[in-house]
Amino acid sequence: MASLIGSFALVFGLCLSIFIIFFSIKNFKDNNILDKKVVSLTFLQFFFVLISFFGLIISFVNSDFSNETVFNHSHTTIPIFYKISGAWGNHEGSLLLWLLVLTLFLFLFISTSKKQAKQYRILTLLFQQIIIIGFFIFLIKTSNPFNYIFPVPNEGLGLNPILQDPALAIHPPILYLGYVGSSIIFSSALSAASLSYISKGWAKHIKQWVLISWIFLTLGILLGSIWAYYELGWGGFWFWDPVENVSLMPWLALTTLLHCILVLEKRLALTSWVVILSIATFALSMCGTFLVRSGILNSIHTFANDPERGLFILIFLFILIFLSIAVFFFFHKNENQNIKNLFWLSKETSILVNNWFMMYFLSVVLIGTIYPIFLEVFSSEKISVGPPFYHSLIIPFLIPFLIAMAFAPRLKWIKSKIEDKIQMIIFFVISFFISLLIVKNFDIDFLLNTILITSAFYLFFITLKDFFSKRIGNLAQNLAHFGFSLLILSILFNNIFSKEVITNLKIGETFISEDFKINFENVDKKNEKNFKAIIGKFNIENIDGNIEVLNPELRIYNQPNIITSEADIKTNLLTDKFITMNVVQNQDYFNVRYQVKPFMIWIWISVILISFGGLISILKKKYEN
Amino acid sequence: MKVLKYIIIVLMILNPNLSIAQSENLQNKITKNLRCLICQGQSVYDSDSQFANSLKVLVEQKLSDGLSEKQIYNYLKDRYGEWILYDTEFNKNTYFLWLLPILMFIIGGAIIFKLFILKKN
Amino acid sequence: MKTKISFLLLFTFFLIVFLTFYLGLQKSNIYKPSLKIEKDIPIYKVRTLESSNRINSEEVFKDNRFYLLNIWASWCLPCRDEHEFLIDLSKQKNFEIIGLNYKDNINNAKKFLKELDSPYKLVFLDKDGTVAIEWGAYGVPENFLIYNKKIIKKIIGPIDQVSFLEIKKIIQ
């Protein structure tokens, strides 16, 4: 029943698009006030998608296996929380969620942009409707979440155990808020470009949307990493897997846009560049959807693939790209280029330098991700592009980037001088000595490491000092930059000082290394509704005699029948202790992997700080208004 | 301010958990750079599949036979193709892969320089 | 004029990207070993099921005849399916089948051969799976047709009616 309602609501939602477009076009020229009908219809469309979404959730909660999506991704024994999150843990449901956010954002945009010109609002709405219609058709035609199966099965196939996890339950909604937020930026930039509406006021208005999507995208990526860290069982949090890259690319573009829009807001320059970036951000989000859903790439996180879906998104993506190129070239008039040249030392130049580096990082990630596709098509050779590629191209460039990040915010608009030269140099020298000390002490003989840690420390100290300085201009920016330095430092130390042991242990055995002893005391059994667990009890004794007990689990899920290995992690402010155990076929011992990962929690904290910077920026804008 | 810095330095140096890191185990490094062919986007190091476990043993054997990292990569490339190497090589297949980003960087710099800085009226 | 040219350039560029992605969609994203290679057989020392001594693999394939190297295990279900084909092939003249017992328990392997009869002239033992890697294999079963110390054909997965006839044709 719920499925049926959901299914109809979806079709009604699509039909509403026609009315919305009709009334908007009618309203476009006739008078100066936005037709109330358009606003109500936009809300109604959102409402229908919401009903449809609830329909799916109810089907999941009731375990209504006459619905194909529910049958494929649920089971009666799954806890209720995962029944609900299972609704968007699959291809069809996640697309419905995507559509829900699309319509919600459009409604929010229309109802919060009252101060903007009517024509601009309507045109944005029309561009957004193109995207919405595309997704409606995609959903109904190739990935309908409400397909009916008959005869009705008694039991579902179950939810993949690695998806039965709290972080992964909220990861997709958060990430989609970020992805889809970029669609508003895209539509708005296209419409502003074609109406010659780009102004300081517009920059101020769209900046809110940039910040919102940026914050959600940042948090979404963070949740994904945290999940990968404790669920995939090898202690890594970023593998440069195509699907991870795909979320990083719009983030990089969005971060670039976030900086560059400041120049537009303050100096009314770089208009074309802002438009290009807005287009690129959404195009990259869509490109990501294509790469993930089509199964064109070999990745750990692929959805069930279907070539027809891939083809549909591909065509849709390129329609949007060609549309935006056409709008950009033939409707966008680039007249208000009011700065012909910039002084080399000014905020504008420093933001351009930021954009320059960000675009470089973006090109590394983009080329690294899609190059194998090109090579295979042109020469039928298959290659893999892995972490070493990204590291060797990105890390050296981080050094000047970090240093620039430290002093660029102190520059003034138009023309600037470097102030507090001595102080800046002192900080640099201090950072250098600290890095030298660390690198020397810990016997890491890489020159690159010293320089990299120096520059990260430099940024760290400068931004830390700025928190206490009276002239603190921009708390939001300072917090984000501080967070970034902390992120780089934690990642570096995490990489350098991680220790790990992989060994085979029988129950009762002890592994002894110079730093710790691992004693495998015993195993326990536990029965849950949807899985059985074998819980290992490991005593870890450090050199200082402290003993900690860790309990990794092996879970044997019944539906579907999959064995997963659950890590046990003991976190404190300085290090994480991470242990997993695995069965070895035909053997009486377990494969045990123990890792000591310093500063792990600081990686998460620093990313939260970064997004907090964005939040402060939004709140400040609200306060000023 | 200064106090804070000192605290950080002292923490870094005195923390017993941060004792000298062993130089990264070569075997781990190599297996991290090998793709588990029967998995979806996992390295041999991360995977627990039959194939990955055999490869871990093989890498260990080859290392004790005295083969270098490079030789092991070549040995496996010969059998399974370049697809198995995450550590992408620089060869005729990958010139563009490595050079295109650098080229973009140079072009980007040139554009900024030409458009905004050079033209002084 | 200038905008038109840049528009066309960009348009063509994205068209090429589109076509590449389109063609890329048709390709598989998983590992497919190349089948056409003609490669020298690997050389290694190995234990066998028949005796406890380690033998040199080169010795085994030295004669002027066709060999089939079959990777199998008692726990592998498709191996049972292809077994009757192997028995049939083992009766061919001037042809020998060499087994490679992959990650198996020796007793189970012996039981398996007792139960279903052995088509093998000799069985290599590969307890940790490294010998299979020497051959460039990545699963069970896999078959390598060898002539003159070269791998001339690879069959991934079990032998079926089609590949059975193909092998027969080649060796005759």
Side-chain angles (χ1 to χ4, degrees), chain A residues 346-407:
Chain A
S346 64
K347 198 158 224 153
E348 295 90 319
T349 322
S350 72
I351 286 175
L352 278 176
V353 170
N354 154 290
N355 281 204
W356 178 29
F357 275 86
M358 290 302 264
M359 282 296 112
Y360 168 71
F361 296 139
L362 177 62
S363 71
V364 173
V365 180
L366 181 65
I367 292 169
T369 310
I370 64 173
Y371 184 82
I373 302 176
F374 278 75
L375 185 70
E376 196 180 356
V377 167
F378 286 112
S379 74
S380 292
E381 298 207 41
K382 255 180 138 85
I383 59 157
S384 300
V385 179
F389 168 79
Y390 298 100
H391 291 167
S392 51
L393 280 185
I394 287 179
I395 289 174
F397 286 83
L398 270 179
I399 294 164
F401 186 67
L402 284 165
I403 294 174
M405 260 178 102
F407 73 88

Side-chain angles (χ1 to χ4, degrees), chain A residues 298 341-342 371 384 500 585, chain B residues 41 45 50 83 93 116 119:
Chain A
N298 184 303
N341 52 45
L342 302 172
Y371 184 82
S384 300
E500 71 167 318
Q585 209 182 3
Chain B
Y45 169 85
Q50 292 280 353
W83 175 243
N93 279 339
F116 298 103
K119 274 194 222 154

